[in-house]
Amino acid sequence: MKVLLAAINAKYIHSNLGIYSLKTYGEKMLKEWGLAEQAEISLAEYTINHQMEQILQDIYKRKPDVIGFSCYIWNISYVKVILADIKKVLPDVKIWAGGPEVSYHGEAFLKEEPAVDLVMMGEGEITFAHFLKALLEGEDLKQVPGLMVRNADGTFTDTGFRQVMDMSQIPFPYAFMDMKELEHRIIYYESSRGCPCSCSYCLSSIDKSVRFRDLELVKEELAFFLEKKVPQVKFVDRTFNCRKSHSMAVWQFILENDNGITNFHFEISADLLSEEELALLSKMRPGLVQLEIGVQTTNPRTIKEIRRKMDLGRLQKNVE
């Protein structure tokens, strides 16, 4: 069975950590289950600047049995246009979609997109691996948690969201990739999932918990990037500094192992920064880290309405 994981990025320099993690975890579990020889998982990354015909042609040449589309706010309208034509050229292919743009309204998306067979809801690694196992062994997909499935009679089955997983159980995807293929692109990395904030407009607030990858694993993986002299590593952690011990340990490691080339990008809440963290950051060479500081608003009433907690005075002081 040929499985294709497709990502349509906003720019060429971007990369899709989601499909890398799905592939790495899926291959790991299929090997453990003795099914590795029965499935070939490949990746395809495009951009929203590609011509639709180019993408369709490339997918057609690959002749997959199953295609999974990674759906985000920047590519969902593009994905929908492609979905309308895929089954014209590959009528027997099974199509599923996953990602934040479809996870939380799976049934509505399936009704809107008749070419799609199922939606993967929520965190994907275990669900993807279980989904492949079910396909290979003829298991009823309705027994796989984390799916919204289109039934033959036109109805839909919601198998429920799967419990989130231990972050440290996810294999490091870059260890199995040719880094030369990514040398002109931003490398995305995550050391935590979830967000401590409850902003009413944000999908990251739905989980209402934060899980961290084991620090020793994080250090090993950062050492890999440093050894490969990757130009930029962008952490996708929603609020990287929400746990002081975690941010201090990572920043201390980066400071002590600076190769003079690699830059690390973090999304932080500036009002959470302690004097100790500020002192540590001040020791770093200019350009070693980038801090993306999202200030949702400086209007106290708006802060209250969106259910955000923020110390504006401390935020201003720390940014300065």
Side-chain angles (χ1 to χ4, degrees):
M1 183 173 68
K2 296 174 71 174
V3 181
L4 179 65
L5 298 176
I8 302 174
N9 303 321
K11 297 179 181 178
Y12 171 74
I13 61 168
H14 296 169
S15 56
N16 189 297
L17 177 59
I19 62 172
Y20 302 166
S21 290
L22 292 184
K23 181 178 190 292
T24 308
Y25 190 81
E27 289 177 339
K28 172 181 178 286
M29 295 310 299
L30 289 179
K31 186 175 181 181
E32 289 185 14
W33 293 326
L35 299 170
E37 300 301 318
Q38 297 184 40
E40 174 192 328
I41 305 171
S42 59
L43 304 177
E45 289 189 87
Y46 312 102
T47 79
I48 57 175
N49 297 312
H50 274 96
Q51 294 292 326
M52 297 288 182
E53 292 79 9
Q54 286 179 289
I55 296 178
L56 279 172
Q57 184 181 61
D58 185 66
I59 291 174
Y60 176 75
K61 287 179 178 178
R62 293 167 181 260
K63 295 289 195 297
D65 299 299
V66 181
I67 308 173
F69 281 98
S70 179
C71 301
Y72 292 88
I73 193 168
W74 61 81
N75 73 5
I76 188 63
S77 59
Y78 204 96
V79 168
K80 287 179 178 179
V81 174
I82 292 172
L83 289 174
D85 291 325
I86 284 183
K87 290 209 172 180
K88 293 177 184 176
V89 294
L90 293 169
D92 298 324
V93 73
K94 295 293 183 184
I95 299 175
W96 60 265
E101 262 328 277
V102 297
S103 275
Y104 303 101
H105 55 96
E107 183 175 336
F109 183 76
L110 289 176
K111 287 178 179 177
E112 184 183 344
E113 301 298 331
V116 181
D117 297 284
L118 63 86
V119 169
M120 194 166 69
M121 304 185 297
E123 193 167 76
E125 285 88 356
I126 296 179
T127 300
F128 175 61
H130 193 176
F131 163 65
L132 292 184
K133 183 174 185 288
L135 285 181
L136 291 169
E137 296 186 336
E139 181 184 342
D140 188 346
L141 293 180
K142 296 173 188 176
Q143 305 304 312
V144 181
L147 301 178
M148 180 69 71
V149 183
R150 183 191 303 278
N151 301 316
D153 63 359
T155 61
F156 305 94
T157 299
D158 182 347
T159 67
F161 272 72
R162 185 185 291 268
Q163 278 194 319
V164 294
M165 65 188 298
D166 179 349
M167 280 284 293
S168 299
Q169 297 303 309
I170 303 170
F172 180 54
Y174 297 106
F176 307 97
M177 299 176 68
D178 182 355
M179 296 303 289
K180 288 184 178 179
E181 294 181 5
L182 298 171
E183 63 183 351
H184 299 301
R185 300 165 75 185
I186 298 169
I187 301 298
Y188 293 92
Y189 178 76
E190 60 180 350
S191 67
S192 68
R193 283 182 182 173
C195 183
C197 303
S198 299
C199 302
S200 57
Y201 56 84
C202 182
L203 287 177
S204 296
S205 69
I206 291 174
D207 192 7
K208 301 192 186 308
S209 65
V210 185
R211 291 162 290 138
F212 294 86
R213 194 162 175 82
D214 181 82
L215 267 172
E216 293 309 308
L217 272 180
V218 172
K219 290 176 183 179
E220 287 176 19
E221 292 158 2
L222 296 184
F224 173 89
F225 295 135
L226 290 162
E227 180 188 346
K228 300 291 185 182
K229 294 183 170 55
V230 170
Q232 183 174 63
V233 176
K234 187 168 185 177
F235 278 65
V236 295
D237 303 44
R238 305 316 305 151
T239 306
F240 174 76
N241 62 322
C242 64
R243 179 188 283 180
K244 180 182 174 182
S245 60
H246 182 81
S247 59
M248 284 289 289
V250 171
W251 285 339
Q252 186 67 45
F253 181 85
I254 288 171
L255 175 63
E256 293 174 357
N257 295 276
D258 181 14
N259 62 9
I261 297 171
T262 305
N263 157 272
F264 295 89
H265 179 109
F266 302 93
E267 185 175 338
I268 68 165
S269 288
D271 58 324
L272 298 181
L273 286 174
S274 66
E275 293 298 327
E276 192 178 2
E277 287 169 299
L278 288 168
L280 178 60
L281 289 168
S282 72
K283 297 177 183 177
M284 297 180 177
R285 67 170 169 85
L288 176 56
V289 300
Q290 290 176 192
L291 302 178
E292 179 180 341
I293 301 170
V295 181
Q296 283 70 22
T297 177
T298 56
N299 184 328
R301 182 180 173 187
T302 305
I303 291 173
K304 182 181 178 182
E305 291 296 328
I306 65 172
R307 299 200 296 274
R308 174 85 176 194
K309 291 183 179 179
M310 190 187 305
D311 183 335
L312 286 174
R314 188 174 183 85
L315 175 95
Q316 181 176 353
K317 178 178 178 291
N318 286 346
V319 170
E320 288 173 347

